[in-house]
Amino acid sequence: MLRSPHRRLAVGAALFAALAGGLVPAAPASAAAPTPAPAPAPAPQADPAPAPDMKGVVAALEAAMAEGAPGAMARYSGPDGVRSRTVGVRDRATGAPMDIHARFRIGSVSKTFSAVVLLQLVEEGRLKLDDPVNRLLPGLLPDDRVTVRHLLTHRSGLADYTDKMFEHTVPGFEAVRNRVFSYQELVDLSLAEPRTIEPGASYAYSNTNFVVVGMLIEKLTGRPVADAYERRIIKPLKLRGTSYVHPDTRIKGLHVRGHLHPDEAGAPLVDSTEQTVSWAQSAGAVLSTPADLNTFMSALMRGRLLSPAMLDAMTTVTPTEPTGARAYGLGLRRYTMSCGVQVFGHTGTVQGYYTYAFATRDGRRSLSALANTSNHGAANTALGRTLEAAFCGTKPEAKAEARSLAPERAREEAPEGVLDLPAERDLPERH
Ligand code: REY
């Protein structure tokens, strides 16, 4: 069941729109009276959304494969329908083709699920965004100044324990793939390192923040985070391919197998499908599908999960890099495309899987993309180009202009956007 206050709001908004659009006559017109001259109709609202450039989407997927992904896929959902594209294989050993209905590990897109749950608890008056974490979890952090909002915006200064854990890709992975950590153990790993910034000073991405968000959810609800995802997001939105099975290592049903790049060039890819993902939990252990991710991000942007005020808070961002083309809200990224369109969502990296899941602010258009490798930034950057193609379309003028320039010049003059920026986890740390 969707939470009724929001449904009521949605119905109210639809009624208001109908009235404003003149669908409901103001007064009954008598049969004899001449039809009154209609009020000047508002100029028809041309849908400014360009059609997705699906050839461009496929080119991006193929580029991800050229950069070492065994397969890749993307699904676009918009007012003009749903379009899915797959390339390569979902399992290198069997050669089974990539499948748009297959489940996979969404990594940090899980952070948006965790943020939604915590923000619903804020709406319910169970905590405040500016509460110190230590008020809710006494003694957890050495600094009383760290607030819930600092966690959700990656401004706490809590070091990311995964940096050390995965310094050496394959050995780092093998050391944790079957481990089951408590949240406290993960926080302790972070606290063994110096804080990266003063609380609130700037954006410093860290998985530790969303491990603490998981602790808060469990403390406030008295139940495992799995129950909160299920009751508050998965069931209401009927996300049948989405689950949180920690610490089960398997992905049930049709799924994509993950392939991890080894540290030594030329060594074979490592199948990383089965793992507990206990190192990430509420920061990255959700399983999902492209259709479900589009439904989730669209529903979120359409206000089906949070009140308008809370969604405003969630989409209020600070830049994460100097051009401002990329920014972060509360458990949510905002990317500004080269055509000016802004999209909200998250990226995910978990061994063997790169994910993008984004929607426009009105929730009318969404795109999710997956490549079944990780630890190979060029493949991730290539996959990210699906966003430009899907949300900016073909932009014939821009393309013609670019063609008329020398290649070097064209690169220099490319409009600012995400197109040629390296993928998120590959950016140098900025403290
Ligand atoms: C962990 C490293 C990535 C994975 C991570 N993911 O923090 C969270 C996120 C959930 O933000 C691994 N990298 C890889 C290495 C680096 O081993 N040497 O890329 O598979 O999505």
Side-chain angles (χ1 to χ4, degrees), residues 106-111 154 160-163 165-173 205-207 259-261 263 272 275 277 279-281 283-285 333 346-355 373-377 424-426:
I106 66 171
S108 290
V109 184
S110 309
K111 290 184 171 71
H154 292 292
D160 192 342
Y161 58 85
T162 67
D163 292 343
M165 206 175 243
F166 301 128
E167 237 165 46
H168 303 288
T169 310
V170 178
F173 170 62
Y205 188 87
S206 171
N207 285 300
H259 305 80
L260 185 61
H261 274 86
D263 297 319
S272 56
Q275 67 151 312
V277 206
W279 60 268
Q281 302 186 53
R333 293 191 189 284
H346 219 288
T347 48
T349 304
V350 56
Q351 292 87 356
Y353 305 90
Y354 281 133
T355 305
T373 195
S374 67
N375 203 47
H376 211 59
E424 207 76 42
R425 289 288 301 189
D426 309 308

Side-chain angles (χ1 to χ4, degrees), residues 231-249:
R231 198 171 76 74
R232 294 170 178 271
I233 302 173
I234 296 172
K235 272 225 180 93
L237 298 181
K238 300 189 173 63
L239 306 181
R240 297 201 177 81
T242 303
S243 56
Y244 182 89
V245 299
H246 172 264
D248 194 339
T249 57

Side-chain angles (χ1 to χ4, degrees), residues 52-122:
D53 169 13
M54 295 312 291
K55 278 194 185 138
V57 168
V58 171
L61 299 177
E62 282 171 349
M65 277 188 70
E67 294 293 352
M73 62 176 163
R75 183 182 181 98
Y76 165 89
S77 311
D80 43 351
V82 172
R83 295 168 210 194
S84 299
R85 297 292 185 272
T86 60
V87 300
V89 296
R90 67 179 163 81
D91 181 342
R92 229 165 151 252
T94 65
M98 186 53 82
D99 191 314
I100 201 70
H101 302 295
R103 295 177 188 157
F104 51 88
R105 302 193 181 283
I106 66 171
S108 290
V109 184
S110 309
K111 290 184 171 71
T112 312
F113 283 71
S114 299
V116 165
V117 170
L118 198 65
L119 293 175
Q120 287 189 357
L121 293 168
V122 172

